[in-house]
Amino acid sequence: MDLVSFRTPGLGDQTYLLTHEGKGVLVDPQRDIDRFLHAAAERDVELRFVLETHLHNDYVSGGEQAALRTGAELVLPAAAAAAYPHTAAFHLEDIKAQGLTIRPIHTPGHTPEHTSYLVLIDGEPMAVFSGGSLLVASAGRPDLLGPARARTLAKLQYGSLHRLAGLPRDVALLPTHGEGSFCTATGAGRFTSTIGEELESNPLLGVGDAEQFADRLLAEPMPIPAFYQYMGPANTLGVPPMPALTVPEIDLADLAEQPEGTQVLDVRPRTAQAAGFLPGSVGIEVADDFGSWAGWLLPYQAPIVLVAEPGQDVTEPITQLAQIGVDSVRGVVRDLGEAATDQFELVDVATFVRRLADPAAQVLDVRMPSERAAARLDGAVERFLPDLITEGVPAEIDPERPVLIACGSGRRAAIAATLLAREGYRPVVLAGAGVADVAAARAA
C-alpha cells in the first residue's frame, strides 16, 4: 500500500490517494481534481474508487467529476442520498477489489450521514479515512448544521470517536479535516496519526460520557464561515466541472457595464492596496486562505471583477474561489490609473505602540472571540472581521480620527482596512505583526 496526501492549507483539509497493485482509491477530493488525477497517472495507477466521507460543509466536492473523468466507482454514505449516480456505502458492508477491502463504518456526529472507511489489505486493517470524525487530537465540529441539531450530533460524535478508537492501535488515522479548518473543534498542528497515538494523546477520548463530551464541544462555539451554508446543498445536488482559470482583462471603463451587485475584489499585495485602491472595493491579498475570506465577506455567487497588478497571475484566486463553488469571476482590471483614491496606512509594531500612547487613539481588534479571550488588547473596540459586514463598523469608532487596526498577524487587519476605508474611515494597520507582538513591545 502506498499513500499520497494532498493538503489544501486554506481549507485546512487533506485529500488522499491510496494505491495498491496498480489500483487507486481517491478520498474526499476538492473540486480542482486535475492535481489528483495527474498524481495517479504519474504512478500508472487506475483509479478504482472515489470515496466521500460526508457531504462537505467547507468546500464543493470533486468526487462526482473525478469518477466521471476516470470511470472510477463513486462511493458515498448511504444516508447522504446524493442526487447523482453513486454506490451507497452501508455500515460494515465491505467493498472489495483485488486484495483491497474498503469497510464503511457509520460515524455520525460531524454530519448525520458521516461514514469512515477502514482499508484492509489481504484482510489486515491498515488505515482508516476518518473524514470529520476522529481527528488528530480533536474531533469534527457537530454544530455546522445549526444549533438545533448540534447537541444531538455532538453525542453521536462521542460514540463515533470511541467506535474508531476500538480499531487496532497500529491502524493509520487519516482524517480529512485538520489544522486551519473551521470544521475541526480544535487544532493540533499535525494532520495524520494512528489509533494508538490518539488513545494516548487525544483529550476528547478521555471525556467521561456523551453529555460531558457535548458540553465540551459546544462550550465555546467557533464562528461558521458564511459560505458554508451553500456547500452541503451543492454537494447533495452535484457540482459542475471546474471553470476556466483564465478571465478577460477589462478596462476601468468596463466596470460601469458590469451587472448590478458586481463586487470588485483587489487581490494585489497589501502594500499596493495601501498605496491606493478603488473606492468600494474589498482588498484580500492572495494567500492560502484567500478563498475562505472571499467566500465569507462577499455575497455568495455575486459577479466578481478582480483587481491585480500587471503580470500578476490570477489562476490561484480563481481556483480558490472555484473550490467553494464561486464561478462568477468576470474579468480582471490591471491598470487603475488615477482612480485608486482610497488608501490606508501600514505601520510596524513600534509605531503602532507609540500611537497607542496617544490619549485620543482609537483601536479596533478584528480577531475571533476565542483569540480575544486568550489575549486582549487593552482599550480596543472588538469586532470580528466578518462582523464588519453583517453588523457594520462599531458606533464607538469615530470616522474623523484615525483608527488603529490589529489582528493576529496583520492579514485580517489589512482586509478590514479596505472595508473601513470604503465607509470613510482612516485606517492604520499593524502590518506583519499581531496583538501578541504589541503586548511584548509594551512589556519590554
Side-chain angles (χ1 to χ4, degrees):
M1 185 184 83
D2 187 28
L3 187 73
V4 184
S5 62
F6 306 83
R7 182 146 176 79
T8 307
L11 295 171
D13 290 328
Q14 289 200 143
T15 293
Y16 300 94
L17 174 65
L18 180 149
T19 65
H20 177 66
E21 296 183 353
K23 305 294 182 184
V25 179
L26 185 64
V27 184
D28 284 345
Q30 281 83 26
R31 190 182 182 193
D32 50 325
I33 60 175
D34 283 348
R35 54 181 168 146
F36 315 129
L37 303 188
H38 178 71
E42 275 190 330
R43 291 161 176 78
D44 195 24
V45 166
E46 176 193 351
L47 202 59
R48 179 66 181 83
F49 296 105
V50 178
L51 309 180
E52 295 281 13
T53 56
H54 60 296
L55 296 173
H56 303 284
N57 293 301
D58 56 337
Y59 63 87
V60 293
S61 170
E64 180 191 11
Q65 295 302 323
L68 289 172
R69 284 262 300 270
T70 63
E73 185 175 349
L74 177 63
V75 179
L76 276 79
Y84 40 88
H86 63 278
T87 295
F90 293 92
H91 180 58
L92 299 184
E93 289 192 5
D94 290 353
I95 302 169
K96 297 185 178 183
Q98 198 172 342
L100 177 72
T101 299
I102 298 167
R103 179 167 296 162
I105 304 174
H106 188 209
T107 46
H110 185 49
T111 63
E113 81 286 350
H114 190 285
T115 297
S116 301
Y117 298 98
L118 178 65
V119 176
L120 301 94
I121 303 293
D122 297 327
E124 291 295 321
M126 304 293 292
V128 62
F129 295 108
S130 61
S133 186
L134 179 61
L135 310 181
V136 178
S138 183
R141 291 176 65 174
D143 61 335
L144 295 179
L145 300 184
R149 305 173 73 182
R151 189 164 191 89
T152 297
L153 286 168
K155 291 192 288 186
L156 288 170
Q157 187 74 299
Y158 173 84
S160 294
L161 261 61
H162 284 273
R163 175 174 283 170
L164 293 177
L167 294 171
R169 293 178 62 92
D170 59 351
V171 167
L173 179 73
L174 306 173
T176 299
H177 300 313
E179 184 82 3
S181 171
F182 277 92
C183 282
T184 180
T186 60
R190 294 183 293 121
F191 311 113
T192 63
S193 184
T194 66
I195 296 299
E197 288 172 339
E198 294 309 299
L199 285 169
E200 294 171 2
S201 63
N202 192 321
L204 294 178
L205 288 174
V207 177
D209 59 32
E211 294 290 350
Q212 294 174 2
F213 182 88
D215 289 342
R216 180 158 178 172
L217 253 61
L218 301 174
E220 296 181 5
M222 290 175 62
I224 300 174
F227 67 90
Y228 273 27
Q229 63 186 298
Y230 304 104
M231 301 296 95
N235 289 323
T236 302
L237 298 176
V239 181
M242 280 281 287
L245 299 181
T246 57
V247 294
E249 294 196 10
I250 63 176
D251 296 327
L252 274 175
D254 296 326
L255 281 179
E257 306 301 320
Q258 298 302 314
E260 183 178 354
T262 294
Q263 304 291 306
V264 180
L265 180 54
D266 195 326
V267 302
R268 296 175 299 157
R270 71 187 71 167
T271 51
Q273 295 174 16
F277 60 97
L278 293 177
S281 63
V282 176
I284 307 177
E285 179 181 11
V286 177
D288 287 341
D289 59 355
F290 166 84
S292 292
W293 285 120
W296 205 334
L297 299 175
L298 301 183
Y300 191 71
Q301 287 293 27
I304 292 172
V305 171
L306 302 178
V307 174
E309 294 194 302
Q312 182 179 357
D313 186 3
V314 294
T315 299
E316 181 63 20
I318 294 173
T319 297
Q320 290 195 32
L321 289 168
Q323 287 174 334
I324 60 169
V326 176
D327 298 352
S328 52
V329 179
R330 297 177 59 86
V332 57
V333 174
R334 297 187 184 274
D335 182 5
L336 301 182
E338 302 295 321
T341 55
D342 277 0
Q343 296 178 322
F344 58 89
E345 188 178 352
L346 296 171
V347 299
D348 60 16
V349 173
T351 303
F352 193 88
V353 170
R354 185 170 63 251
R355 294 178 71 163
L356 276 178
D358 184 343
Q362 53 181 352
V363 188
L364 179 64
D365 183 347
V366 297
R367 295 176 300 156
M368 283 194 301
S370 59
E371 295 174 276
R372 299 195 301 257
R376 284 203 138 77
L377 182 56
D378 293 342
V381 177
E382 299 173 340
R383 181 150 295 176
F384 184 37
L385 172 59
D387 294 338
L388 293 172
I389 299 291
T390 56
E391 300 176 22
V393 180
E396 305 96 301
I397 302 296
D398 181 358
E400 300 302 318
R401 293 184 287 134
V403 53
L404 304 172
I405 309 175
C407 62
S409 66
R411 174 157 177 74
R412 288 169 291 177
I415 298 171
T418 65
L419 301 179
L420 266 68
R422 70 181 185 178
E423 302 294 331
Y425 293 84
R426 296 158 57 194
V428 178
V429 171
L430 175 58
V435 169
D437 303 288
V438 172
R442 281 176 153 178

